[in-house]
Structure formats: C-alpha cells, structure tokens
Amino acid sequence: MTTILILGGIGFIGRNFVAHLLSKGVPPTDIRVVDKVLPATAWLNEAHKAAIEKVEFRQANLVSPASIEKAFAREDGKPWDIVVNLAAETKYSQSESVYEEKIVVLSTNCAKEAAKQKVKLFIEMSTAQVYDGDKKNSDEGGKIKPWTGIAKAKAKAEEELKKIAGLNLVILRPAVVYGPGDMQGVTPRLIMGHIYRHLKEEMKLLWTKDLRINTVHVEDVCAATWTVAQAYKDKPANGEVFNLADKQDTDQETLNVHIRAIFGIQTGFQGSIISQFAKLNLESVTEEVNDTHMAPWSELLKASNIAISPLTPYLDQELLSNNSLSVDGSKIEKTLGFAYTVPKVTEERIREIVDGYKKQGIWPRD
C-alpha cells in the first residue's frame, strides 16, 4: 500500500483529505498527520474527529529542519511514498516576514527533507491567487501576478521547490475552497447573510455581481490530490501544475442567489460611486464594513448561549479588493481523467456548511 505523510493535516483541507483517504480504503496505519495545532483545539466536527483519531498524529513546528526530520522519521526507516504539504500561514494581511517563514521557508525545508529521503512524490498545495486578478480566465500558463500576501509567498515557494534536485513535485492551485470545515472561503459571506436577516436589511456588497470568485468543493480538492498521488508516485512529475476549479465560473451573484434562498434576505451591490470611493479608501471602508458586522454577530452568538465560536464575519482588506479569481480547472481532467463530483455550487452544498456548524454548536440558532 501507499504510505502518506500529510503536513498541516489538521487544517480545513487536511481533515477532509484524511477522511477521503480512509473512504478510499487506505489503511489508517499508512497515514501520518503532522500539524502544530492539536486536534482537540481545532474545532473538528464529529466525522473529522473520528477520521483523525484513526491515524497517527504528531505535533510539530514545520519551520525547523530538526522538527521536520523528526516528523518524517518512521520506525522502519523507510521513506514515505507521498508527502502532501498543506501546512502554511492562512491568515491574511500578515507581515512579509511571517509569510516568508511560515510559507516559503516551511515549504522549502519540508521539500528538501522529502528529496533527501527520496520520497516518491511531493504535492504542494498552492493557490490560484497567484494569477493576475484581472477578468481573464487563467490556465496553468497564465500570468503570475499574486494579489495577496499569502499568494506572493506561495508563488515564491513554488519557484524554490522547483530548484530542489531529486524532488518529484506536483503543484496544485485551487480556487476558493469551500465545504465542511470552511471558515475563510465562502463562510464569511454566509455569516453576513445571517446578520442581515437579523438586522432586517438588504445585504449590499462592493463592486459588481459579475466579479469572479471561482470555487472548488473540498471533496474535489481531496479527490484531485489523491488522483495526482496515484498518477505520479511511480513516474516523473517534472513540477507539473494543476489548477482546481469547478464548472460554475462562480461570481458574487452565484453565491448571492443561495444566500437569498437560505436566509430569506435581499441582496444587491453598492453601485459605481461607492465602489469607486472604496477603491480609493479601501482601508477605511474595510474597517467600517467590519464594524457593521462584528457587533450583530456577537449579539447573535450571545442570544444562542454560544460563549466561543471560531466563526467570524471579519473580511480582510486583501479579500475585499476588486480582484477577480477566474481560473480554468480543466487540465487535470484532460491529463489525468479526473472528474469533478461537485461541478457547481448548489444551495444544498452551501446549507451543508451552515448545518454542520449548527450541529457543532458554533453557529447561532435561527
């Protein structure tokens, strides 16, 4: 069987990937998860908790080469067949030095250890935010012009990894990933929907309804990662790059349709004058937007006797900018015969996120 080391395996994609591997019949004894975050503090749902409990877990700081070496070490002395790197700083608007250490240095050091140990395949999870944020649909050869701090570091990490001799490398660049456990993808918009129902007001967003925010369900990210692992573990990957994006060509209005249906609210857009003002004063506009949302959300949590929730309507300035995320995710289908099982965003899939958090007791009652 194939042995798999998952770095950053407690995070959103990681927890879903572990569950996916187990559903595909990979023996739990062949999977190790490494993360700085302990499972007990990671807000896992019951299904994810059950999956993580079946496999080996090790806590480690994956920036330190010594810690990385220990994380890779196996009792039988054999190398891992597959290493999937999902570990990275995920908070937006951090300093360049934070991203350098927790993305570039972390990925590079982990990849060097993989090459040293002659791991069969190293899969690096990057982001589609590395592409130019104009309205053009980017394939894997698209112009690289990262528009977030995370994406700038990811793009740099990709280049560093390509330089490592003996590393069999595949890079995945997903669009906005959503699904059970998502706290940063579409969930802040869902929280806003709940807030505006509480306020009995129309939810108005910046920019236009056709601003692209292409999506991919976490189930498909996990399935694509496993497809890549099976395809390249015994042959040269040559630094192959695959975008991951569904067939929806999701934009702001795509999500608003479902938010209207789920929360029974009206949605709209601020118009050109306010959007133009926001473009010139994005920092103050972001602050005002967050002030508008944070207090009502706290009230809703308090009314439901929820003392602590990891969920927040806070929108980062980087993500409020007028950048389009439009990517072509078809290469993996043509090259590896992969098929997206969630080709479009549906109301059912969006409700699944909300209902999951309600079940965990971290989303307010209706």
Side-chain angles (χ1 to χ4, degrees):
M1 287 298 292
T2 302
T3 57
I4 307 161
L5 176 63
I6 308 170
L7 307 175
I10 297 297
F12 166 41
I13 295 174
R15 63 187 68 176
N16 281 282
F17 187 51
V18 172
H20 180 81
L21 292 176
L22 295 175
S23 75
K24 293 298 179 184
V26 178
T29 51
D30 290 341
I31 303 170
R32 177 187 292 170
V33 167
V34 179
D35 206 304
K36 66 179 180 182
V37 178
L38 291 169
T41 64
W43 303 98
L44 301 174
N45 66 28
E46 290 304 317
H48 293 146
K49 197 180 296 181
I52 295 295
E53 284 174 352
K54 288 185 175 74
V55 304
E56 182 188 1
F57 171 79
R58 290 194 183 182
Q59 187 179 32
N61 173 8
L62 291 170
V63 172
S64 158
S67 294
I68 293 168
E69 189 174 354
K70 288 179 183 176
F72 273 68
R74 298 178 62 194
E75 287 184 9
D76 60 10
K78 294 179 181 178
W80 296 92
D81 293 321
I82 311 289
V83 175
V84 178
N85 184 32
L86 304 170
E89 177 59 62
T90 57
K91 292 178 183 174
Y92 288 94
S93 293
Q94 303 297 298
S95 68
E96 188 177 332
S97 61
V98 167
Y99 292 135
E100 177 71 22
E101 179 185 50
K102 296 185 178 180
I103 294 179
V104 181
V105 173
L106 183 154
S107 292
T108 304
N109 286 347
C110 288
K112 284 179 177 176
E113 184 65 25
K116 185 177 84 175
Q117 295 202 14
K118 294 181 169 56
V119 165
K120 288 183 178 180
L121 179 65
F122 188 90
I123 301 174
E124 174 76 5
M125 192 65 68
S126 187
T127 173
Q129 291 173 355
V130 297
Y131 296 115
D132 194 345
D134 61 17
K135 293 184 178 180
K136 294 176 184 175
N137 188 253
S138 298
D139 62 15
E140 287 77 2
K143 181 181 178 182
I144 300 298
K145 189 180 178 183
W147 46 273
T148 65
I150 289 173
K152 288 173 185 174
K154 287 285 191 182
K156 185 177 179 181
E158 287 185 19
E159 293 308 308
E160 292 302 315
L161 266 53
K162 290 174 186 175
K163 298 174 188 174
I164 298 173
L167 184 71
N168 196 29
L169 171 69
V170 171
I171 295 166
L172 300 179
R173 295 175 180 160
V176 174
V177 186
Y178 73 102
D182 161 34
M183 292 186 188
Q184 289 188 311
V186 305
T187 297
R189 289 173 187 259
L190 305 182
I191 293 171
M192 286 167 58
H194 195 113
I195 289 168
Y196 280 95
R197 180 172 67 184
H198 169 68
L199 295 174
K200 296 181 173 60
E201 294 177 9
E202 180 181 8
M203 184 176 90
K204 285 191 173 184
L205 302 178
L206 286 172
W207 320 125
T208 59
K209 67 178 183 179
D210 57 0
L211 178 66
R212 299 292 190 274
I213 39 172
N214 282 186
T215 48
V216 60
H217 196 276
V218 70
E219 286 180 11
D220 282 324
V221 174
C222 295
T225 305
W226 185 228
T227 295
V228 164
Q230 293 173 302
Y232 291 106
K233 66 174 179 162
D234 293 315
K235 70 176 184 181
N238 301 316
E240 194 71 85
V241 177
F242 292 105
N243 292 340
L244 301 178
D246 60 31
K247 304 298 183 184
Q248 182 85 58
D249 195 23
T250 306
D251 57 24
Q252 292 207 106
E253 182 61 15
T254 306
L255 296 178
N256 278 3
V257 167
H258 300 310
I259 289 170
R260 289 196 295 269
I262 293 168
F263 298 105
I265 62 170
Q266 294 299 310
T267 65
F269 296 89
Q270 293 287 4
S272 58
I273 294 175
I274 293 179
S275 289
Q276 186 61 33
F277 175 81
K279 192 179 290 187
L280 300 172
N281 303 275
L282 195 56
E283 185 176 351
S284 63
V285 169
T286 302
E287 189 176 328
E288 185 178 342
V289 165
N290 287 320
D291 285 347
T292 300
H293 299 150
M294 296 299 281
W297 182 244
S298 296
E299 291 168 12
L300 284 163
L301 292 173
K302 188 176 180 181
S304 293
N305 296 315
I306 299 170
I308 303 173
S309 173
L311 304 175
T312 174
Y314 182 84
L315 294 170
D316 194 274
Q317 182 177 329
E318 286 187 308
L319 295 182
L320 265 183
S321 60
N322 188 22
N323 283 303
S324 176
L325 184 64
S326 180
V327 289
D328 180 351
S330 65
K331 176 184 169 183
I332 193 170
E333 297 175 295
K334 298 167 188 172
T335 306
L336 302 180
F338 176 73
Y340 291 93
T341 59
V342 189
K344 292 189 175 184
V345 181
T346 64
E347 183 182 329
E348 179 186 8
R349 290 292 188 166
I350 296 296
R351 282 188 183 276
E352 182 182 30
I353 299 170
V354 177
D355 291 344
Y357 285 136
K358 285 179 181 177
K359 193 174 179 181
Q360 282 184 259
I362 54 177
W363 186 286
R365 294 189 296 271
D366 291 331

